[in-house]
Amino acid sequence: MIPKRAKGGNDTAGLLFYLYGPGKRDEHENPRLVAAWAPSVPDPARSANMTVGDLALLLDAPLHALPSNAPAEHVYHVAVRTAPEDPLLTDGQWAEVAKAMMDAAGIAPHGDLWGCRWVAVRHADDHIHIVATKARQDGIQPNLRQDIVRMQQLARQFETRWNLRQLASGDRTAKRWPTTGETRKASRRHLAESARDQLERTVRMAAASAAGEDDFFARLRSSGVRVAQRADTQNSAPAGYAVALPGDRDRGHRAVWFAGSSLAYDLSLPRVRERWQIPVPAPEVSPEALWQTLELNLDMVSERLGAGGRRQGAGDVAALGDLLVVLAASAPPLVGPALRASATEFERAARAPGRRDLDGEARLLLRSSVRILLSAAESSGRNDAVAFLGFLLALVTAVRAAQLWHEEQGYRLQAEAAARTSRPLQEAVERTAGASAGTGTRPRTRRTGSPPTPASRQPSPLADVLAKAVPAHASAVLLDPAWPALRGRLAALEQHGLNPATVLTEVATRRELHSAESVAQVLTWRLDGWAAAHGVPLDAGPAPAAPRAGTTPPRPPRAIPRSSPEAQPAPGHGTDGPTRGR
């Protein structure tokens, strides 16, 4: 539940007519009054004796009791909204919320008969609007200091009480969301995003990629945005900067400028400068070793992230965020959308509250990885799907390490952002696994004029086969050490002209899979049993042995397909035959 101060002003009647009206795009449905400063206040939508204009006059009546120091803008406007996945609240529940919010804000304290007048209007399922007059009925102005902070604390109580999405109080690291005016301007111009969002993304990419201050401003200008630097009166170095999109102007035809700090907490010039305070040269890496080198770096990052304490960990997660930003901009087209989504989700996780140190070993490894990515942007090694898959799996582990570090520090919002990052990363893993399986199961065949036979058909991505047959377990199977063995069985079925998705679906539905310690192993055993019953030689080598009851088979931390595309038994397992009946 999010209480947010909206634009007030002096026109109480105009705001109420909007709230009771159809909305800008007919989005207002069944506008109605759910609560007010007194239970006897009639609802203009349901009473023939009360109009919206009359309600506005009643709200503004206490203004006439004020002396000459009446507020310049007397309309107090707050919107309270629940998350899309939250259960719908009744009008009675929203009335309770409105009364409690006005008490917490200082507008109308409980039991105070002389508080400000207010009304709560609901015209949608997920939110209400509270409109009040900033004038108490005894002629005194209300004390609204820290009103939003107190309302946020109250919202946490309602979330627990009604099982709503659990949020946390702000820590000043949140994204700077576009205003309503900026969003509407983008909509009028048929743009996919607001000027603020576009500039934030451009500045973040320049900051993550730059090797120094001059390089940072040069990258901004080369990206097509306008840049203005604010001079420092003490020395010649810039004290700040602002950016604007060409052609983005206000009603007075003036350019609309955004300071770096207004785009995001970590894009002020002092925070941007921290990225290159300790110079990190770009190591020379051959194109063939690009992804393997980055994978090894991330393996070490996962072990050392935050090892030097809270401030060092804050610098480490910031550098991991920069790596995701640069990777998203230079990723292969197959996984580009998923990696861009992961960089967006991790943005909050990269901003830990408080100060940060810049000399952590994990941070230096991550900055070095950024330099490698940038220097090898045109590398031919980029098309090695198997090596890229290993790098992605290491990246998943590094993001998980960042999530655990945030949880240890009590940074709940950042931990949730890191957890959300894993979802698009898993999608990138699945797509890359499908590409590596599809290109590695057999040599490329020559083109001929005759129709392709089942044995010479180009195989379909086996990760897609897995997603169709067992969608609930696909991500876990792709990260399982037994996946290469299962992949070999599926490729063998396709070589015999069979549909691997159909066969896998058949064996997967024999019995439930949720209780299996390794779904990949169980599916491999079932495929071997099916093949034996139907006389289909899979020629995939022995299946991994079943673990003894009550024991867990040893597993390496990650499964990364390497040189051979042939299916092999998972390391650490025996070579007993398949166990029937599974």
Side-chain angles (χ1 to χ4, degrees):
M1 179 178 291
I2 301 176
K4 181 180 179 181
R5 176 87 67 82
K7 185 177 181 180
N10 297 309
D11 190 1
T12 306
L15 177 56
L16 288 177
F17 274 113
Y18 168 74
L19 296 178
Y20 273 96
K24 296 290 185 179
R25 301 175 184 83
D26 296 325
E27 71 273 19
H28 295 177
E29 298 181 359
N30 187 22
R32 58 199 182 275
L33 193 74
V34 295
W37 75 92
S40 59
V41 178
D43 183 0
R46 300 172 180 174
S47 174
N49 299 321
M50 174 68 72
T51 66
V52 174
D54 293 336
L55 183 60
L57 289 175
L58 286 176
L59 283 170
D60 287 347
L63 285 172
H64 303 293
L66 288 177
S68 58
N69 61 342
E73 294 187 349
H74 65 265
V75 177
Y76 184 83
H77 182 196
V78 171
V80 186
R81 186 180 302 271
T82 56
E85 67 271 18
D86 284 342
L88 296 183
L89 302 184
T90 65
D91 284 358
Q93 289 174 312
W94 276 121
E96 185 177 349
V97 169
K99 294 174 183 176
M101 289 291 176
M102 292 296 92
D103 171 59
I107 288 287
H110 286 317
D112 186 351
L113 300 178
W114 302 100
C116 300
R117 294 185 175 185
W118 60 272
V119 293
V121 179
R122 182 181 187 183
H123 54 214
D125 289 335
D126 62 347
H127 70 277
I128 59 171
H129 291 264
I130 306 176
V131 181
T133 302
K134 290 189 286 187
R136 289 173 51 85
Q137 298 180 76
D138 55 6
I140 302 174
Q141 293 189 24
N143 180 12
L144 302 179
R145 190 171 182 270
Q146 297 291 311
D147 56 339
I148 288 295
V149 174
R150 294 195 297 269
M151 285 190 285
Q152 287 176 343
Q153 294 171 349
L154 180 64
R156 305 293 84 79
Q157 300 176 26
F158 282 115
E159 290 163 1
T160 303
R161 177 179 169 188
W162 290 333
N163 196 27
L164 306 178
R165 179 178 176 182
Q166 296 288 313
L167 301 179
S169 298
D171 57 9
R172 300 184 183 274
T173 64
K175 175 182 174 66
R176 308 284 199 257
W177 295 100
T179 65
T180 302
E182 293 165 2
T183 304
R184 290 176 179 171
K185 179 192 281 190
S187 178
R188 290 195 304 269
R189 297 184 175 186
H190 305 286
L191 301 176
E193 58 183 351
S194 68
R196 180 187 297 273
D197 287 335
Q198 184 176 346
L199 288 170
E200 190 269 341
R201 179 168 45 80
T202 302
V203 173
R204 187 170 300 283
M205 178 61 192
S209 306
E213 190 163 315
D214 293 340
D215 188 22
F216 169 64
F217 287 115
R219 288 177 182 272
L220 283 180
R221 293 188 178 94
S222 65
S223 66
V225 304
R226 300 178 63 184
V227 182
Q229 299 181 23
R230 178 166 54 87
D232 190 342
T233 57
Q234 302 297 327
N235 53 59
S236 59
Y241 72 99
V243 289
L245 286 180
D248 184 25
R249 299 184 178 276
D250 60 15
R251 292 180 179 179
H253 301 285
R254 298 179 296 267
V256 180
W257 293 93
F258 293 86
S261 58
S262 71
L263 296 175
Y265 165 78
D266 57 338
L267 292 183
S268 65
L269 188 56
R271 283 276 176 166
V272 170
R273 281 174 174 155
E274 289 179 355
R275 288 168 164 84
W276 52 78
Q277 183 171 325
I278 300 178
V280 179
E284 294 185 3
V285 178
S286 65
E288 295 78 12
L290 170 68
W291 298 118
Q292 289 89 341
T293 302
L294 295 175
E295 177 189 345
L296 292 175
N297 283 356
L298 286 178
D299 284 340
M300 290 186 285
V301 166
S302 299
E303 296 175 358
R304 303 170 190 179
L305 191 146
R310 174 173 293 195
R311 289 174 57 175
Q312 191 179 96
D316 295 343
V317 295
L320 181 56
D322 284 349
L323 177 64
L324 283 165
V325 168
V326 174
L327 175 64
S330 58
L334 179 67
V335 295
L339 292 180
R340 284 191 290 274
S342 67
T344 301
E345 291 289 2
F346 194 80
E347 180 185 318
R348 184 68 180 273
R351 294 194 290 266
R355 301 179 63 184
R356 59 191 185 189
D357 287 339
L358 312 174
D359 56 353
E361 189 173 357
R363 178 182 174 86
L364 296 179
L365 285 167
L366 288 164
R367 293 296 296 169
S368 176
S369 298
V370 168
R371 307 310 307 162
I372 293 174
L373 269 179
L374 291 170
S375 64
E378 304 299 329
S379 170
S380 60
R382 187 173 304 282
N383 58 14
D384 186 348
V386 175
F388 184 63
L389 175 61
F391 163 73
L392 284 181
L393 292 169
L395 185 58
V396 170
T397 305
V399 169
R400 175 60 177 164
Q403 178 186 345
L404 293 175
W405 180 81
H406 281 305
E407 291 174 352
E408 292 172 357
Q409 309 307 314
Y411 299 152
R412 179 177 170 184
L413 294 172
Q414 285 77 7
E416 291 175 353
R420 292 193 300 270
T421 305
S422 298
R423 298 168 193 166
L425 278 181
Q426 293 284 5
E427 179 185 343
V429 168
E430 292 176 16
R431 289 179 175 271
T432 306
S436 63
T439 58
T441 51
R442 70 179 63 81
R444 182 181 298 176
T445 57
R446 292 184 179 182
R447 292 184 178 181
T448 62
S450 59
T453 62
S456 64
R457 258 186 225 129
Q458 182 67 18
S460 62
L462 297 181
D464 292 340
V465 171
L466 190 67
K468 292 177 182 178
V470 284
H473 304 282
S475 298
V477 170
L478 288 169
L479 297 176
D480 196 304
W483 161 241
L486 176 59
R487 185 186 64 194
R489 267 64 164 188
L490 296 175
L493 288 173
E494 196 166 33
Q495 287 178 345
H496 287 290
L498 299 170
N499 188 330
T502 301
V503 178
L504 187 60
T505 302
E506 178 183 342
V507 301
T509 54
R510 287 181 179 177
R511 288 179 58 187
E512 59 86 21
L513 293 167
H514 293 283
S515 61
E517 293 181 353
S518 172
V519 175
Q521 288 181 356
V522 172
L523 292 175
T524 302
W525 296 324
R526 292 184 186 179
L527 282 179
D528 286 342
W530 182 94
H534 291 78
V536 178
L538 294 184
D539 297 327
R548 297 178 180 176
T551 63
T552 302
R555 297 183 186 177
R558 290 179 292 105
I560 305 175
R562 287 301 183 195
S563 58
S564 174
E566 299 176 0
Q568 298 292 338
H573 295 282
T575 57
D576 296 339
T579 303
R580 294 186 180 274
R582 284 187 174 266

